[in-house]
Amino acid sequence: MKLLLASGNAHKLVELRAALPGWEIGLADAALPPETGSTFRENARAKAEAGRAAAPADAWVAGEDSGIEVAGLADRPGIYSARYAREDATDEENVVKLLGELEGVEGGGRGARYVCELVAIAPDGRELCVRGELEGAIAHAPRGDAGFGYDPVFVPERESETVAELGDAWKSEHSHRARAARLLAGLLGEP
Amino acid sequence: MKLLLASGNAHKLVELRAALPGWEIGLADAALPPETGSTFRENARAKAEAGRAAAPADAWVAGEDSGIEVAGLADRPGIYSARYAREDATDEENVVKLLGELEGVEGGGRGARYVCELVAIAPDGRELCVRGELEGAIAHAPRGDAGFGYDPVFVPERESETVAELGDAWKSEHSHRARAARLLAGLLGEP
């Protein structure tokens, strides 16, 4: 089965491939819509629908949206995670902003959740939506070089290292994106 | 697997059960939201979400919306099929209104499509959306007693009788609702 990801983020394509060995996963050839939804799922759906219009008839098209919800910030930045510091912010700028907002916040207030929503649409209009989550906490300073986004400051529950320290192999098994991908694969059946 | 239908229409529960033998299908215990969506799918999703809130943790909840799209009426009545003649219209009133709108329309203009969208939501947020369609044409007068809605004036392609003449056994195999139900079952797996 062929699955095309409607995304401009190469990291996400790499992670999806690692999480779904055996699947033929490419990039959808489509202009991505602006993220105007009020939920991860609405944004993911809009990308999938945009990709579906231009996709070949034998492919499912997936849209993805993901982000981080921080307890002490009333679940912000949420759907604004990639543009937290400013529009077109770098990962570093967003991490700096997050650490600044959490200055003086300790304990449960640093609790956080990585969320990934995947929406896959078939040529016949069938649509599958799945949500993967990863619970954890925000570290006090960045550590590690792997991954992207908030990985250098996200420490998953039951771990002491950040996702950026735990590395790609760990992510392909445990990340919010890997969990969502496996739920999707469970619904799609064998590759 | 348990599947609860968020619907006030007992006909739809009966049809869903007939189309999915072996499944445990009940009614969701929820107040249904007003149909404010602009597509069948949006309306079906709103019902499923309303039903999900009150459902037990071991059940999928399905919302359904369906209607008829008529070529000579630019695909109307569409999502307004159940309230075509007026709010809370009877099936007979809607059929009379439809036949009136099609007076003098012949051939391709009487072409029509029955559409059923089903949206099923799991306790963990997984969401499946499927669409079943049945192509046909609008007869010049009602015939038959089975079914409901526009069944007495809907003649499926490759048939000469109306759906209301073809009867329940035919519907449980070929109807737009049966087709959507089987697509859903294919995604959910064995009962």
Side-chain angles (χ1 to χ4, degrees):
Chain A
M1 189 120 52
K2 199 183 292 181
L3 182 66
L4 300 178
L5 180 66
S7 174
N9 187 325
H11 289 288
K12 295 182 178 179
L13 179 65
V14 170
E15 288 194 12
L16 207 58
R17 283 179 169 161
L20 296 179
W23 285 74
E24 185 184 346
I25 302 177
L27 275 181
D29 182 22
L32 294 177
E35 298 195 330
T36 56
S38 60
T39 62
F40 294 115
R41 184 163 289 180
E42 286 174 14
N43 285 332
R45 180 178 291 129
K47 292 177 208 175
E49 287 173 347
R52 179 65 260 155
D58 64 340
W60 285 77
V61 176
E64 192 263 13
D65 198 30
S66 50
I68 195 168
E69 297 175 343
V70 180
L73 303 176
D75 283 349
R76 279 183 296 118
I79 58 170
Y80 301 102
S81 295
R83 43 192 157 134
Y84 189 32
R86 61 177 176 87
E87 203 65 38
D88 300 315
T90 65
D91 287 348
E92 289 73 16
E93 289 171 330
N94 287 326
V95 166
V96 166
K97 161 117 175 167
L98 181 65
L99 292 178
E101 297 279 325
L102 287 175
E103 259 184 28
V105 176
E106 296 298 331
R110 300 189 80 90
R113 180 189 299 119
Y114 254 143
V115 177
C116 170
E117 287 270 355
L118 281 171
V119 174
I121 303 180
D124 66 1
R126 276 176 298 162
E127 179 182 313
L128 313 179
C129 314
V130 295
R131 179 185 184 91
E133 297 186 350
L134 177 64
E135 300 285 342
I138 304 301
H140 288 80
R143 303 194 307 261
D145 298 316
F148 66 103
Y150 295 87
D151 289 352
V153 291
F154 190 95
V155 180
E157 59 181 0
R158 291 184 295 275
E159 301 287 348
S160 54
E161 297 184 296
T162 67
V163 172
E165 292 175 307
L166 289 162
D168 295 342
W170 187 94
K171 280 193 88 171
S172 67
E173 177 105 359
H174 301 289
S175 78
H176 51 312
R177 195 164 291 107
R179 290 174 186 198
R182 282 199 302 269
L183 285 171
L184 183 62
L187 293 168
L188 288 169
E190 291 304 303
Chain B
M1 191 120 52
K2 200 183 290 180
L3 181 68
L4 300 179
L5 179 66
S7 174
N9 188 325
H11 289 289
K12 295 182 178 178
L13 178 66
V14 170
E15 288 194 12
L16 206 58
R17 283 179 169 161
L20 295 179
W23 286 73
E24 185 185 345
I25 302 178
L27 276 181
D29 182 20
L32 294 177
E35 298 196 328
T36 55
S38 59
T39 63
F40 294 115
R41 184 163 290 182
E42 286 174 13
N43 285 333
R45 180 176 292 130
K47 291 177 208 176
E49 287 172 347
R52 180 64 260 156
D58 64 340
W60 285 76
V61 176
E64 193 262 13
D65 198 32
S66 50
I68 195 168
E69 297 176 342
V70 180
L73 302 176
D75 282 348
R76 280 182 294 119
I79 58 169
Y80 302 101
S81 295
R83 42 189 156 136
Y84 189 34
R86 60 177 176 89
E87 203 64 37
D88 300 314
T90 65
D91 287 348
E92 290 71 19
E93 289 171 331
N94 287 326
V95 165
V96 166
K97 163 119 173 166
L98 181 65
L99 292 177
E101 296 280 325
L102 287 175
E103 260 185 28
V105 177
E106 297 298 332
R110 300 190 80 90
R113 178 189 302 118
Y114 254 143
V115 177
C116 169
E117 287 270 357
L118 280 172
V119 173
I121 303 181
D124 66 0
R126 278 177 296 163
E127 179 181 313
L128 313 178
C129 313
V130 295
R131 181 186 182 89
E133 297 185 351
L134 177 64
E135 300 283 343
I138 304 301
H140 288 80
R143 304 196 306 263
D145 299 316
F148 66 104
Y150 296 86
D151 288 352
V153 292
F154 190 94
V155 180
E157 61 182 358
R158 292 184 293 275
E159 301 288 347
S160 56
E161 296 183 295
T162 67
V163 172
E165 291 175 307
L166 290 162
D168 295 341
W170 188 95
K171 281 193 86 171
S172 68
E173 177 105 0
H174 301 288
S175 77
H176 51 311
R177 196 163 292 109
R179 290 175 186 197
R182 283 198 302 269
L183 285 171
L184 183 62
L187 292 168
L188 289 169
E190 291 304 304

